[in-house]
Amino acid sequence: ALVSTALLLGVAWAFSPGDYRVTAPASIEGRLQREIVAPFDSFVVEAAVHAGQRVSAGDEIARLDDRELKAEQRRLRAEEAEHVEARRQAVASLDHAQSRVLEAQIEQRRARLALVDQQLERTRLRAPFDGLVIAGDWQRSLGAPVTRGDLLFELAPLDSYRVVLQVSDRDIAELDHGQRGLLTLSALPESPVRFEVTSIST
């Protein structure tokens, strides 16, 4: 009788609702993170922000060297002006063949100018939304070379975060998608935060 009673109590305890606590290192990061990368090979000449700083959409956060691009822009504009004048003279002298050649050269210079103008605009790196700079500090590395695709800054929005928990192997089997609970951070033990499990990776 004692054995059966103890067994029944054990079963009842196993299936009774209760709190399940998991202790794990946690990190908070933006649900949406945007990387700001170097659009082409260049040098960082200005950096207006650093990690931990808030920015607004459209704020200029850094500027790349544009001297070579501006020199190319001046050269192309001078060539375009020369070709325009030469074409005017060809039209005036009824040299239609030369006029067509010069017209093609003018269009070629204008296409290259448009590309240079786009690159010049991209030397000014701007924040894509209101957010927080979570990585990137170039204020002490002005003049440093960067290669196309290099990560310069990471930004996260101010109102959308996720918590990443590094749960031990013995506890992760008890977790499932959709579970809800309270997160108690060691830095803010008096302010638990409600959460829902949305992703589990092993």
Side-chain angles (χ1 to χ4, degrees):
L2 290 176
V3 174
S4 60
T5 301
L7 180 60
L8 289 174
L9 288 174
V11 172
W13 175 83
F15 289 96
S16 62
D19 295 336
Y20 184 76
R21 287 180 169 272
V22 174
T23 301
S27 60
I28 299 177
E29 58 187 41
R31 182 179 295 275
L32 171 67
Q33 296 187 33
R34 179 71 61 85
E35 295 183 345
I36 308 298
V37 301
F40 42 76
D41 297 354
S42 188
F43 299 87
V44 179
V45 294
E46 288 183 12
V49 301
H50 54 77
Q53 192 168 338
R54 293 178 62 168
V55 294
S56 299
D59 283 354
E60 184 175 309
I61 59 179
R63 186 170 66 85
L64 303 180
D65 181 60
D66 59 7
R67 289 172 297 179
E68 289 188 9
L69 289 171
K70 286 185 175 179
E72 177 73 359
Q73 184 184 59
R74 289 192 296 269
R75 185 183 67 81
L76 290 170
R77 284 177 176 171
E79 290 180 358
E80 179 191 10
E82 290 177 2
H83 290 321
V84 168
E85 176 60 22
R87 179 179 177 276
R88 186 187 66 78
Q89 294 178 7
V91 170
S93 62
L94 301 180
D95 189 344
H96 301 300
Q98 181 65 6
S99 174
R100 286 193 293 271
V101 170
L102 289 167
E103 181 66 29
Q105 291 177 337
I106 292 170
E107 291 302 317
Q108 183 184 51
R109 295 303 185 278
R110 288 175 177 171
R112 290 174 62 183
L113 264 172
L115 179 60
V116 170
D117 289 342
Q118 290 177 3
Q119 289 180 313
L120 278 169
E121 177 61 27
R122 294 171 69 190
T123 61
R124 299 182 179 274
L125 307 178
R126 302 183 185 277
F129 48 68
D130 296 349
L132 182 71
V133 180
I134 59 175
D137 189 351
W138 289 85
Q139 293 178 341
R140 297 183 180 179
S141 303
L142 297 182
V146 294
T147 303
R148 179 180 179 181
D150 282 353
L151 176 63
L152 303 182
F153 297 94
E154 280 189 88
L155 274 66
L158 298 172
D159 56 356
S160 180
Y161 294 90
R162 64 180 181 181
V163 179
V164 179
L165 298 173
Q166 299 177 17
V167 180
S168 66
D169 293 340
R170 70 174 183 276
D171 291 323
I172 198 168
E174 304 296 332
L175 303 179
D176 199 2
H177 292 85
Q179 284 182 335
R180 298 184 178 184
L182 291 176
L183 172 69
T184 303
L185 301 172
S186 57
L188 299 169
E190 72 285 354
S191 303
V193 180
R194 297 186 180 277
F195 74 91
E196 179 179 340
V197 178
T198 59
S199 177
I200 299 175
S201 58
T202 55

